[in-house]
Amino acid sequence: MELYKNDLAFEWANKTHDENRQGESLVKDRPLHIPSNGKKFYIESYGCAMNFSDSEIVASVLTEQGYDSTKNFEEADIVFINTCSIRDKAEQTVRNRLDNLKVIKKRNPGALIGVLGCMAERLKEKLVEEEKLVDIVAGPDAYRTLPALIEEASGGQKAVNVLLSRDETYGDISPVRLSSNGITAFVSITRGCDNMCAFCVVPYTRGRERSRHPDSIVQEVKDLASRGFKEITLLGQNVDSYRWSEDETIRGKKLIELKDTDHVFNFANLLERVAQEVPQMRIRYSTSHPKDMMDDVLHIMAKYDNICKYIHLPVQSGSSSCLERMNRTYDRAWYLDRIAAIRRIVPEATISTDIIAGFCGETEEEHQETLSLMKEVKFILSYMYYYSERPGTLAAKKYTDDVPLEIKKKRLQEIVDLQRKHAHESNIEDVGKYFEVLIEGVSKKNEQQLFGRTSQSKVCVFDKGTHQLGDLVRVKVTSCTSGTLIAEVI
Ligand code: SAH
Ligand code: SF4
Ligand code: F3S
């Protein structure tokens, strides 16, 4: 079962969804009251859960205008690729894909090709110069203008909109999820990021952080519940900095600029409201930031059974000096204090992380500190990467990418090996224990088996019996691998 492996090839999307969804396409029905305009679009997504969620917004915007979606790019009039820039490899994947798409224009010279998402935002007009077949370039805040951009490109012009917004949250656009499993869904609560981690391109591609109105979030979760969805993941680059105020000036402030007298509705408040108002829904969230994850959120987690006991808390490095160069604004001791708070307040919670090997100037000692932190925390899962310099970031401006590739790879391998050991040990500890599992699908390896996740986000497989997708079942774990719990339903 390869569903939940600790693998370098996995992108962020898999933190919250355990299939490898890179390159997945999406179909969405046109609303019944909207007549077809006779044109079909195809959309394919790369990168993180936020991008997959955005593709659904794009599909909503287009179907509202009478476009039909297709799962077959060869019959599409417009082909969109929603892209990721997080590492160089992510961009190379997209460029290779664009090369493959040349056939579309050979067959149908009138077809349009559009690049959306983070790579569109990072490269802007340069993208249409470098990739001649691209007709439309739209950044993450420009999706409402897609119908106009298509119009413009249909007239033979290159159409580009990469304006970032300070208030676009697409809160009023309801993303109907027809391509999903119908059981789990993402609900985005913030867009953008105000942190300036030295290695990271996201603040440049996604712009300033802004939070979505809580009413529109709760409404979306209720809609999902009424359509039979059983689990949602509240999504943001840094969910802990979610805050809402009806007062626009307060809303516009950065987290550190807020005063005690500025009453805001924060992430703990949001989590509690969703847990109370949609009690039948299982709730997850991602991603937490160690500097902002306070005890109030943990207390809410502990208080509500329908909030899953799992926290993704990216550490990036176990060395305080390296964390300082990374501009993560916390140190090793602070991170370990947050881990201690989780263990104290939500003792049954599991913890996963992200780690970067070979950041600028990383010494062997600093690398050893990452390994020692891993040994202290024993993450159940890690997303592990070696550092890839991104143009324009703080690190690219300030530091030299001076750790040789072989060393980066060697350190990464050590991290991966240690993580695999910890994951296996953690699974072995679960053998003999009982868990509640939400059934998400049929096992890829064995059609007679189903899979789902425990509240702690561990993937569990068991015999099908008479159980249905979407059922919540109680299981006893009988054995395990390093990536999966094997269980029987009781
Ligand atoms: N907002 C989330 C994650 C954003 S990107 C957070 O703060 O945790 C997902 C992960 O990609 C990061 O946590 C980091 O581990 C990795 N990453 C980001 N930039 C990278 C780079 N330039 N090279 C290698 N890995 C990177
Ligand atoms: Fe990037 Fe840091 Fe923002 Fe995460 S918190 S998206 S790593 S800048
Ligand atoms: Fe996500 Fe990649 Fe953009 S990780 S925010 S799609 S750079």
Side-chain angles (χ1 to χ4, degrees):
M1 182 94 179
E2 295 292 298
L3 277 167
Y4 211 58
K5 59 188 177 182
N6 293 303
D7 191 312
L8 331 179
F10 268 37
E11 291 287 342
W12 188 50
N14 302 293
K15 276 176 199 169
T16 39
H17 249 84
D18 37 25
E19 312 129 296
N20 196 344
R21 300 178 70 199
Q22 300 301 308
E24 187 181 283
S25 69
L26 153 93
V27 283
K28 180 182 187 308
D29 283 348
R30 182 168 34 82
L32 286 173
H33 64 283
I34 310 257
S36 169
N37 68 11
K39 293 230 165 91
K40 287 195 175 132
F41 73 91
Y42 167 89
I43 180 163
E44 194 174 281
S45 313
Y46 295 84
C48 67
M50 197 67 87
N51 250 16
F52 283 79
S53 167
D54 279 2
S55 289
E56 287 164 356
I57 288 167
V58 170
S60 288
V61 168
L62 294 176
T63 50
E64 284 288 329
Q65 294 291 318
Y67 290 90
D68 284 304
S69 65
T70 170
K71 246 185 164 12
N72 175 7
F73 71 83
E74 293 183 349
E75 63 170 36
D77 302 287
I78 313 152
V79 172
F80 287 113
I81 309 289
N82 197 355
T83 62
C84 175
S85 282
I86 200 81
R87 285 167 287 277
D88 186 54
K89 217 174 121 222
E91 291 201 356
Q92 284 314 322
T93 307
V94 169
R95 295 208 190 250
N96 294 340
R97 187 66 182 131
L98 285 172
D99 267 353
N100 297 338
L101 291 178
K102 281 187 181 136
V103 293
I104 299 176
K105 291 229 170 171
K106 284 209 183 101
R107 264 184 233 151
N108 175 6
L112 298 175
I113 294 186
V115 176
L116 312 175
C118 291
M119 202 172 155
E121 191 62 51
R122 192 178 83 74
L123 293 166
K124 305 186 169 59
E125 286 80 8
K126 247 172 51 193
L127 200 54
V128 284
E129 288 158 25
E130 289 173 13
E131 302 283 346
K132 297 279 179 264
L133 80 166
V134 173
D135 306 287
I136 299 168
V137 175
D141 289 342
Y143 299 149
R144 284 182 206 268
T145 68
L146 277 172
L149 293 172
I150 294 171
E151 191 94 334
E152 194 180 333
S154 304
Q157 312 257 47
K158 299 281 182 188
V160 180
N161 184 353
V162 288
L163 282 179
L164 285 172
S165 156
R166 288 195 62 157
D167 49 22
E168 178 64 273
T169 61
Y170 300 111
D172 58 319
I173 297 181
S174 148
V176 181
R177 294 156 174 88
L178 291 170
S179 72
S180 78
N181 59 8
I183 299 161
T184 59
F186 296 121
V187 175
S188 66
I189 63 164
T190 66
R191 295 182 70 80
C193 183
D194 276 355
N195 295 315
M196 276 287 165
C197 302
F199 48 79
C200 186
V201 77
V202 172
Y204 306 90
T205 62
R206 295 252 157 196
R208 285 291 300 274
E209 183 187 279
R210 62 223 100 121
S211 298
R212 184 174 162 191
H213 198 300
D215 292 351
S216 98
I217 295 170
V218 171
Q219 194 48 51
E220 190 177 337
V221 180
K222 284 184 174 166
D223 284 351
L224 286 163
S226 71
R227 290 211 306 277
F229 282 79
K230 299 284 179 352
E231 181 182 293
I232 52 119
T233 302
L234 302 174
L235 214 59
Q237 295 297 349
N238 175 2
V239 288
D240 300 297
S241 62
Y242 174 89
R243 76 254 182 220
W244 181 260
S245 165
E246 292 301 334
D247 181 338
E248 230 172 283
T249 53
I250 294 179
R251 216 160 62 216
K253 284 186 189 175
K254 288 190 175 190
L255 202 62
I256 47 164
E257 295 165 354
L258 288 173
K259 295 194 213 79
D260 286 346
T261 47
D262 291 339
H263 291 296
V264 294
F265 185 81
N266 67 15
F267 182 60
N269 303 139
L270 178 71
L271 198 57
E272 178 155 43
R273 190 171 153 197
V274 177
Q276 278 176 348
E277 289 202 31
V278 202
Q280 72 277 33
M281 190 66 95
R282 253 187 168 196
I283 301 159
R284 297 183 186 278
Y285 60 87
S286 188
T287 302
S288 304
H289 195 297
K291 88 172 151 62
D292 298 323
M293 193 200 70
M294 299 306 161
D295 292 359
D296 57 350
V297 172
L298 299 175
H299 287 296
I300 298 297
M301 267 182 100
K303 188 169 160 193
Y304 292 92
D305 283 344
N306 59 333
I307 303 178
C308 290
K309 306 298 182 257
Y310 165 70
I311 299 182
H312 184 67
L313 196 66
V315 67
Q316 315 297 359
S317 166
S319 147
S320 294
S321 44
C322 193
L323 286 168
E324 194 174 340
R325 289 198 300 286
M326 287 175 162
N327 199 31
R328 286 287 287 184
T329 66
Y330 56 85
D331 60 10
R332 180 186 172 105
W334 175 275
Y335 186 87
L336 289 174
D337 172 73
R338 296 293 76 213
I339 297 293
I342 297 171
R343 304 271 192 240
R344 190 174 62 243
I345 302 167
V346 204
E348 68 274 46
T350 52
I351 305 167
S352 64
T353 202
D354 290 353
I355 298 172
I356 299 178
F359 182 63
C360 308
E362 189 189 67
T363 62
E364 181 57 30
E365 290 71 44
E366 288 175 332
H367 166 62
Q368 289 300 327
E369 286 185 85
T370 297
L371 297 175
S372 84
L373 181 130
M374 290 173 72
K375 286 178 194 156
E376 262 186 63
V377 182
K378 297 237 167 81
F379 300 105
I380 62 147
L381 173 83
S382 295
Y383 295 87
M384 302 156 283
Y385 315 95
Y386 63 74
Y387 174 58
S388 162
E389 186 177 83
R390 309 312 294 130
T393 54
L394 279 184
K397 288 181 204 152
K398 208 165 153 191
Y399 304 115
T400 322
D401 181 13
D402 55 0
V403 178
L405 186 61
E406 321 80 85
I407 305 280
K408 283 181 181 171
K409 287 187 174 167
K410 178 178 156 283
R411 289 180 186 168
L412 180 59
Q413 194 56 52
E414 288 172 15
I415 291 169
V416 168
D417 291 344
L418 185 60
Q419 179 53 47
R420 194 157 285 152
K421 180 169 167 280
H422 290 161
H424 200 183
E425 285 169 4
S426 161
N427 282 354
I428 288 169
E429 277 175 25
D430 284 345
V431 174
K433 290 189 188 159
Y434 296 84
F435 293 98
E436 207 161 62
V437 171
L438 174 65
I439 305 179
E440 287 180 40
V442 177
S443 156
K444 280 185 188 155
K445 270 201 178 158
N446 178 351
E447 273 188 18
Q448 293 314 308
Q449 291 199 314
L450 299 171
F451 79 90
R453 275 182 303 166
T454 65
S455 166
Q456 288 77 8
S457 199
K458 288 195 179 179
V459 168
C460 207
V461 294
F462 41 85
D463 287 340
K464 204 179 229 163
T466 54
H467 307 290
Q468 306 287 326
L469 304 199
D471 285 354
L472 207 53
V473 290
R474 207 169 145 71
V475 303
K476 181 182 183 190
V477 179
T478 52
S479 63
C480 70
T481 65
S482 66
T484 312
L485 300 177
I486 297 150
E488 56 192 34
V489 181
I490 51 158

